[in-house]
Amino acid sequence: SDGRILIYNINKKEARVLNSLGSPIIDLNVERGGRLIYAVLKSGGLMVSEDAGKSFIRRKKETDKIKALIVDLFNYSKIYAATKSGLVCSYDSGNKWRLLETIPLEGAAIEAVAMSENGEIYAASGNKIYKSRDFGMNWQILDPKLGKRTVSTIAVNNGRIIVGSRK
């Protein structure tokens, strides 16, 4: 089934379809002005709109394993993606990617990624969370004491990490 990008007007209580994509949408990020939209598809691909959702461009094949995506708060062209290969970063809205090899992973896959209000990056792999205060150059390992559970999603809010987990 197709994924659709909709815009909902709270005051008018109505929604309209901006665009339809070829796969269900599992993650969505919009820069504050609304012109730049990133959509992660269930198929793993990344679609990018630079015109507020009127048109979308599928990024290169190397982005086909994205699980979650965050947009840098200070540079909307810089994005981080959780993938089966690890945490990857793009400085040009997803055209080119590089693997952040500085993260001290026990396994390769990153399940989730989040960013705090002050730009700290959080990435989750297995039952651990990794935190970087310097754009991915150095990492601190956090252990949320999940036992045999795996982190499936994370959010950061007011100095707290909210963790979704699974068995």
Side-chain angles (χ1 to χ4, degrees):
S1 71
D2 70 321
R4 292 183 181 176
I5 303 284
L6 300 129
I7 188 163
Y8 180 74
N9 185 314
I10 296 169
N11 295 328
K12 294 181 180 179
K13 297 181 180 170
E14 64 184 27
R16 68 179 171 87
V17 176
L18 286 179
N19 216 309
S20 294
L21 306 177
S23 176
I25 299 158
I26 62 167
D27 199 5
L28 190 63
N29 281 279
V30 181
E31 58 90 13
R32 286 190 181 108
R35 291 199 49 77
L36 189 57
I37 301 173
Y38 298 98
V40 179
L41 306 180
K42 185 176 182 181
S43 63
L46 175 65
M47 303 291 284
V48 179
S49 173
E50 296 177 348
D51 57 9
K54 292 180 185 121
S55 64
F56 280 82
I57 299 168
R58 185 177 183 89
R59 290 302 189 217
K60 294 182 182 177
K61 189 79 172 151
E62 62 194 85
T63 63
D64 280 352
K65 301 295 179 195
I66 292 176
K67 297 178 181 184
L69 182 90
I70 58 168
V71 178
D72 190 290
L73 298 174
F74 310 107
N75 176 357
Y76 297 124
S77 296
K78 185 176 181 183
I79 53 179
Y80 297 89
T83 72
K84 290 182 179 180
S85 303
L87 186 64
V88 295
C89 179
S90 172
Y91 293 91
D92 60 4
S93 302
N95 286 310
K96 295 180 191 155
W97 295 89
R98 74 175 176 90
L99 181 65
L100 294 180
E101 298 181 66
T102 55
I103 191 165
L105 295 175
E106 293 173 12
I110 297 289
E111 295 295 325
V113 62
M115 184 172 280
S116 70
E117 298 88 359
N118 60 358
E120 296 170 327
I121 304 165
Y122 293 82
S125 178
N127 63 359
K128 302 271 190 300
I129 297 173
Y130 303 84
K131 173 184 173 181
S132 176
R133 292 183 173 158
D134 56 8
F135 309 105
M137 298 294 288
N138 297 287
W139 295 88
Q140 174 186 0
I141 301 171
L142 308 174
D143 185 356
K145 308 290 184 212
L146 297 175
K148 296 183 187 239
R149 298 190 69 80
T150 298
V151 177
S152 57
T153 188
I154 54 176
V156 181
N157 183 274
N158 293 326
R160 298 180 306 160
I161 303 168
I162 296 94
V163 179
S165 68
R166 66 176 183 268
K167 282 191 172 191

